């Protein structure tokens, strides 16, 4: 499986079957992270974690406190894509990490990034 990341009119393919997305909440300034599996059905959430709670970021059902993080398993419904919009209010963008390393996405306010499973023939699959 490959993960496609589309931003600024370009699409990049990354060989990955899992990845973690992390960011800082724009109001609470607390870190959040979500892990996904890249499957033939789309992106399947496997774990979510937050360093605290507050405005719109309460831990999910069944969350347990582990090493300072509230951790839980979100519903595993496949998503066709993730659309990440940068607010510019957090001081950073989104951080996407996979087995080959990490990349920062959407660091500039107004940037939109789409993350999805690539088509079998590569990144040319439409982002819609």
């Amino acid at each position: 499986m490959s993960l496609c990341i589309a931003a600024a009119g370009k699409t990049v393919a990354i060989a990955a079957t899992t990845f973690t997305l992390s960011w800082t909440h724009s109001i609470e300034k607390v870190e959040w992270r979500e892990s996904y599996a890249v499957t033939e059905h789309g992106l399947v959430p496997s774990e979510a974690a937050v360093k605290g709670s507050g405005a719109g970021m309460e831990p999910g059902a069944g969350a347990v406190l582990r090493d300072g993080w509230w951790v839980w398993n979100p519903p595993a419904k496949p998503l066709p894509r993730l659309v990440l919009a940068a607010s510019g209010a957090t001081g950073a963008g989104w951080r996407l990490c996979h087995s080959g390393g990490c990349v920062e996405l959407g660091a500039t306010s107004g940037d939109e990034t789409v993350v999805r499973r690539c088509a079998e023939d590569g990144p040319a699959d439409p982002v819609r």
Side-chain angles (χ1 to χ4, degrees):
M1 291 286 154
S2 293
L3 184 65
C4 280
I5 302 170
K10 297 181 182 181
T11 301
V12 175
I14 297 171
T17 56
T18 62
F19 68 95
T20 299
L21 191 63
S22 60
W23 66 95
T24 300
H25 190 275
S26 61
I27 296 172
E28 298 294 334
K29 307 298 187 210
V30 171
E31 190 175 356
W32 186 290
R33 68 181 179 213
E34 295 177 348
S35 296
Y36 293 86
V38 182
T39 74
E40 65 183 45
H41 303 292
L43 307 176
V44 179
S46 58
E47 184 178 89
V50 65
K51 274 276 196 182
S53 61
M57 51 183 278
E58 279 67 33
V64 296
L65 188 60
R66 186 181 317 142
D67 298 325
W69 289 83
W70 285 102
V71 180
W72 68 98
N73 298 104
K77 179 182 176 188
L79 304 169
R81 67 188 169 284
L82 299 173
V83 179
L84 311 176
S87 69
T90 63
W94 305 77
R95 185 168 176 85
L96 186 144
C97 295
H98 55 91
S99 61
C102 298
V103 62
E104 187 170 339
L105 307 170
T108 304
S109 179
D111 282 355
E112 181 177 280
T113 303
V114 177
V115 179
R116 61 179 169 75
R117 179 187 68 86
C118 295
E120 294 304 314
D121 59 352
D125 186 31
V127 174
R128 301 183 203 282

